[in-house]
Amino acid sequence: MQREPSGELLGTLARIAPGTELAMGIERIQRGRTGALIVLGYDQVVESICSGGFHIDIDFSPTRLRELAKMDGAIICDESGGRILQAGVQLMPDAALPTAESGTRHRTAERVALQTGFPVVAVSSSMQTITLYAGSERHVLETSERLLVRGNQAIATLERYRHRLDQVTSALTAAEIEDAATVRDVLAVLQRTEMVRRTSQDISRQVLELGADGRLLAAQHAELLAGVKTDNQMVLRDYPDLAGGAQHLSEALARLEQVPDALLIELDALLRVLIPQAPLSLDDALTPRGYRMLSLIRSLPRAVGERLVEKFGDLQLLMAASTAELIQVEGIGEQRARSIREGLARMAESSLLDRYL
């Protein structure tokens, strides 16, 4: 499974995305085929590894960045990227710091990022690539054209996953209403929700990296996610047996998010990852507590839903509860009790119609 980028890397990607002044400057450097080494931050540590160059302290502009890149040496900007502080600087980071790079510019960039903690951008004059270093992370920027192709492919994938998620969620709802839910039904929802989450994260990163060029992709992404009501945390709370007990819910959720893509598509493998020691099989029956169904009633506050589950503890008992029984729960009056009963009845009717018609 691909490592999730840190917030620092994502934040720096947003700063150098198309449409920003820094991106315009880097694009000019690429077109001029001069290459560059740009440090996005300055403090005593950066000062201690700088030698020579010029202290200029001027407002940032793309043309100034391009002209200064014609000189040998690195360019130092302030952390906001609003000013160019030094140019033509020789950077001398600790040579003992590990690096997998081979070129001088990129080896220096990686070590500077590790030693200072500030992001460093290396523009290759020969390979015409832009590499970003943030802490111990390395990211090679792609062209907008290539990112858009990948983004459109991811949108098509997300559309398929969303359609399948809607299907398995409806099937689970119908099975819960009939008191016939199985481990297989629940795992199918967990699986598809996680697939949607991962694909959505990939698209979000591409939108971030595309900057101004990613507006259409962002709109398509938002449209596809509109109305997605499935939440794996809510599903696992409904079925604590799949988390190894209610007290282990957060650990189970973390394990699910770390499942390799190759294992995620196999329900048997997914079950073993979630609860390695459990004797459950895919066809074993499970009883939902009711968290997910109650969360679909938009007018119902979450705290009231929590109290309902605490009182009844079982979706079937909750659906069979009378108005008088519901009123006994704190925060529920006669009108809210009728609203809960009607909401559950509508969901039951709708899911059964979807399943059998």
Side-chain angles (χ1 to χ4, degrees):
M1 182 180 168
Q2 197 175 23
R3 179 184 173 186
E4 295 294 332
S6 68
E8 182 184 6
L9 178 60
L10 293 176
T12 310
L13 283 173
R15 290 169 60 188
I16 61 176
T20 64
E21 288 209 324
L22 190 52
M24 294 178 201
I26 292 172
E27 184 182 355
R28 288 170 181 264
I29 293 170
Q30 265 195 314
R31 288 204 303 263
R33 295 181 177 273
T34 52
L37 186 60
I38 307 165
V39 181
L40 301 177
Y42 184 78
D43 62 5
Q44 290 183 341
V45 178
V46 176
E47 184 180 9
S48 69
I49 62 173
C50 289
S51 176
F54 306 94
H55 291 265
I56 50 179
D57 195 14
I58 57 174
D59 287 336
F60 180 93
S61 76
T63 52
R64 284 172 175 170
L65 187 70
R66 164 72 184 100
E67 292 303 316
L68 291 170
K70 292 178 181 178
M71 297 189 293
D72 288 335
I75 299 169
I76 313 293
C77 298
D78 68 353
E79 199 167 353
S80 69
R83 297 190 69 76
I84 301 174
L85 304 179
Q86 297 184 52
V89 175
Q90 181 183 0
L91 294 171
M92 298 184 294
D94 185 353
L97 290 170
T99 175
E101 299 289 0
S102 55
T104 303
R105 179 180 286 130
H106 289 76
R107 289 171 69 85
T108 301
E110 186 169 20
R111 283 175 171 153
V112 169
L114 285 169
Q115 186 168 345
T116 67
F118 289 120
V120 182
V121 179
V123 184
S124 171
S125 57
S126 58
M127 298 295 292
Q128 287 291 286
T129 58
I130 303 167
T131 307
L132 170 63
Y133 299 90
S136 60
E137 296 176 280
R138 174 185 186 272
H139 181 81
V140 179
L141 275 67
E142 298 183 75
T143 63
S144 291
E145 292 77 11
R146 187 168 179 182
L147 280 170
L148 283 169
V149 169
R150 288 180 51 208
N152 288 326
Q153 290 172 340
I155 285 289
T157 301
L158 181 61
E159 189 172 11
R160 292 194 301 272
Y161 286 171
R162 167 67 196 274
H163 177 68
R164 182 60 182 149
L165 174 60
D166 289 343
Q167 288 180 326
V168 296
T169 302
S170 294
L172 176 61
T173 301
E176 287 178 344
I177 290 164
E178 296 178 333
D179 197 19
T182 65
V183 173
R184 187 187 305 276
D185 296 325
V186 181
L187 285 180
V189 172
L190 292 172
Q191 174 198 57
R192 293 294 166 171
T193 304
E194 180 62 15
M195 287 178 171
V196 166
R197 186 191 71 82
R198 293 183 187 186
T199 308
S200 177
Q201 277 193 339
D202 288 343
I203 295 170
S204 294
R205 287 196 294 271
Q206 289 158 4
V207 167
L208 183 72
E209 197 168 337
L210 280 164
D213 294 340
R215 288 189 292 264
L216 179 58
L217 193 67
Q220 291 175 302
H221 183 208
E223 184 179 4
L224 277 173
L225 290 183
V228 173
K229 300 172 184 176
T230 308
D231 182 306
N232 273 348
Q233 184 174 18
M234 198 69 72
V235 175
L236 285 172
R237 289 190 73 192
D238 253 351
Y239 299 95
D241 287 347
L242 286 179
Q247 70 274 23
H248 300 299
L249 189 144
S250 58
E251 292 94 328
L253 196 60
R255 287 198 300 274
L256 177 61
E257 292 179 358
Q258 294 300 318
V259 172
D261 294 339
L263 292 181
L264 186 62
I265 60 175
E266 299 290 340
L267 293 184
D268 280 318
L270 188 56
L271 179 60
R272 289 195 298 272
V273 169
L274 277 178
I275 38 175
Q277 310 301 329
L280 288 175
S281 68
L282 292 178
D283 295 318
D284 285 348
L286 292 174
T287 300
R289 303 192 67 197
Y291 287 110
R292 188 180 66 87
M293 291 280 279
L294 288 172
S295 71
L296 299 178
I297 302 176
R298 285 180 292 180
S299 61
L300 185 66
R302 181 168 182 171
V304 176
E306 299 275 347
R307 288 195 287 270
L308 279 168
V309 175
E310 286 175 13
K311 177 174 176 59
F312 294 97
D314 184 308
L315 180 62
Q316 293 299 316
L317 295 177
L318 181 58
M319 294 185 70
S322 65
T323 301
E325 290 173 316
L326 293 174
I327 290 174
Q328 295 174 15
V329 177
E330 181 186 350
I332 298 180
E334 187 173 346
Q335 184 175 351
R336 178 165 283 170
R338 285 200 302 269
S339 175
I340 293 169
R341 283 175 55 82
E342 290 169 3
L344 291 172
R346 279 195 303 270
M347 282 188 281
E349 182 180 356
S350 174
S351 66
L352 292 174
L353 285 173
D354 287 344
R355 184 166 185 175
Y356 294 113
L357 292 183

